[in-house]
Amino acid sequence: MRYPLLSALAASAAVAAPAASSYDYIVVGSGPGGGPLAADLARAGYSTLLIEAGGDEGENPTYADIANFNEAANDETTRWDFWVKHSDDPARELKFQHTTWDTGDGTFYVGLDPPEGAKLLGIQYPRAAVLGGCAMHNAGVCSMPADDDWNIIVNKTGDASWSAKNMRKYWKRIERNQYLPAGDEAHGYDGWLATSVADNSWAKNDSLPGTKILKRMAELTGQDPAEAANLVNRDINEAGDSVDETTSFYNMVTHADTKGKRSSPNNYIRATLADPAKYPLTVQLHTLVTRVLFDNATLKAGSTPRAIGVEVMEGASLYKADPKHVAGTKGPVSQILATREVIVAGGAFNSPQILKLSGIGPAAELTKFNIPVVKDLPGVGENLADNYEGSLLGLGAAPIESGLITMLFRTPSAPTKKRNIYTWCGAFSFEGFWPGFPAYHGPTQYTCALVHMSPKSQAGSVRLVSADPQDKPDVNFRFYERRGAEDLRELVEGANLLREAWQAAGDPVLPFEELHPCPGAKGGEKCADDAQAEYFKTQAYSHHATSTCAIGGDDEPLAVLDSKFRVRGVEGLRVVDASAFPVVPGAFPSCPTMMLSAKAAEDILADAKKASKCK
């Protein structure tokens, strides 16, 4: 069935002739949420259009080889630069050591002493405009969230299908495990997403400085040092009733195959397109979705608005987050119909922006930019959440021979028995994101990176700066605004434990000279906890944004979606990406978002089946 093309939202957008084609489903965004979903819908026999603002770099070694993840995240071919804030305090913002400035001569300045005339940009938060989304430029870390991160949705909505036990079936459905013998009931072996681990045989060499640090970490966390070489191969994605309360070493899992090739939604999309079954999937690249269209008849008072398609602008580098964007460049505008549903999967920044440009969001914000209100939903763009990340970084007196040490542990002041720190330690440097990251501090650099899980503050926002769909929104995480002192104390406790473990490295590595959070400290000198807390407050970074279109209960004023991903108060419109999570799911959201996508496919197809029976 066709619907009238133009809604009351025509506003100031130039409208071209409508597209001749229509689809059962339109999916906006090809990342961990949208990409697999589009493939699943097409494989179920429904004509599906997948729209991606970027291109396809699936065969480019920068993206295809997981070891090149730093180059991928820096690559202008796909990079979208969001310049975010961590607080509402301008003075505090200018303490961030990797604050970035536009020098005006085509280069960036990173630091606290910019050249005269430089324009403040802010804190870089790179996203990926490419087929496969941010799963194409990340480090590929694949880790299950705590059971409570799933069960919170059950508690909010009453929908038991979100229970942690049930969600594990989606992991088994998509995983192609390549590191465990077939038959482990916690894993899948026939899915589209390859998972693998590193060789941790280095841990059997007791003479290595890294092994000495490993064994001391075991002592400090109640593990058996004699078993450390075995524990480093423990499955980080194991299942069990007490897993979330277990402090242990693990082998880091990545969504890559055993040959080091990245496994991502890009592979699944391309396999679906190439399949001899000729599934009805269409991929439209270099296309910016400007808004969702609604049926005019349903916009009348008393009716429930129904989404019927999208308006798009075609062309490369149209969005102003793209460093290749040329000011004033626009593309032809057209409209595409969806006879069943529109599914927005643009991520935690772009999904709320698209909803707001379409008239769905806080009424006062929409009215400010003369956007006609389709549905007043105060939670759109609110609740922005992220894990806090920081690192303990130092220089040894000699290079530190070591593999990667991965550990999940609980600090003493954690509010529950659950683990709250995910750390990985090795001879690398990682201090956040800025143009050209990471910094290389020489052959003796050693880092323990920390991800603080279950942060207590969730006060961030994604808000419009205009009604222009090419403009980037204003993104402010408001780190530590709520119960921040508690989160900072946990980070400091984690750093103190790891610093103590470093002192076991022995000769010729000792003494370590710490670069942060206690600059200049040597030999394990412990600087004051309040000084470390101030460091983490001003220098924490993140790249796991979620929750700006959160699933919630009927009684929650800021709930945007119901438990089936449906946007509240409208029909034919869902959001399926990390913005749907009520809280950040564990330490790394990429694989949980792919699980969420598989669940969404099941929910959407179940609704389609019901609708067909009613006809």
Side-chain angles (χ1 to χ4, degrees), residues 227 318 383 546:
E227 285 296 310
L318 292 174
N383 290 313
T546 69

Side-chain angles (χ1 to χ4, degrees), residues 37 50 112 189 216 270 274 365 401 404 460 471 506 538 540:
L37 173 61
L50 176 61
L112 304 180
Y189 296 86
R216 181 58 177 149
R270 290 165 66 100
E365 183 179 349
E401 291 185 74
L404 199 66
D471 280 343
T538 59

Side-chain angles (χ1 to χ4, degrees), residues 166-184:
N166 189 60
M167 291 304 297
R168 176 64 70 154
K169 77 179 184 183
Y170 301 110
W171 178 238
K172 295 173 66 175
R173 183 177 300 172
I174 68 174
E175 186 187 21
R176 187 170 76 254
N177 186 290
Q178 297 185 346
Y179 64 91
L180 290 172
D184 188 312

Side-chain angles (χ1 to χ4, degrees), residues 33 97 100 111 207 272 289 299 306 350 365 411 468 495 593 608:
Q97 293 173 1
T100 304
S207 67
T272 302
V289 171
L299 291 173
R306 178 172 181 81
N350 290 104
E365 183 179 349
T411 62
D468 184 348
T593 304

Side-chain angles (χ1 to χ4, degrees), residues 17 23 42 45 154 287 308 324 329 378 383 421 489 557 605:
Y23 302 84
V154 181
T287 301
I308 60 168
K324 303 182 300 301
T329 301
N383 290 313
I421 300 291
R489 183 162 56 251
L605 292 172

Side-chain angles (χ1 to χ4, degrees), residues 15 41 79 94 142 165 171 194-195 211 227 260 311 358 404 410 435 440 444 446 486 513 547 581 612:
V15 178
L41 295 176
R79 200 180 77 225
L94 291 176
C142 194
K165 183 177 181 180
W171 178 238
T195 58
T211 308
E227 285 296 310
E311 180 180 86
S358 308
L404 199 66
R410 178 188 179 276
Y440 177 63
T444 67
Y446 194 80
E486 297 171 51
E513 179 181 353
S547 308
F581 288 111
S612 298

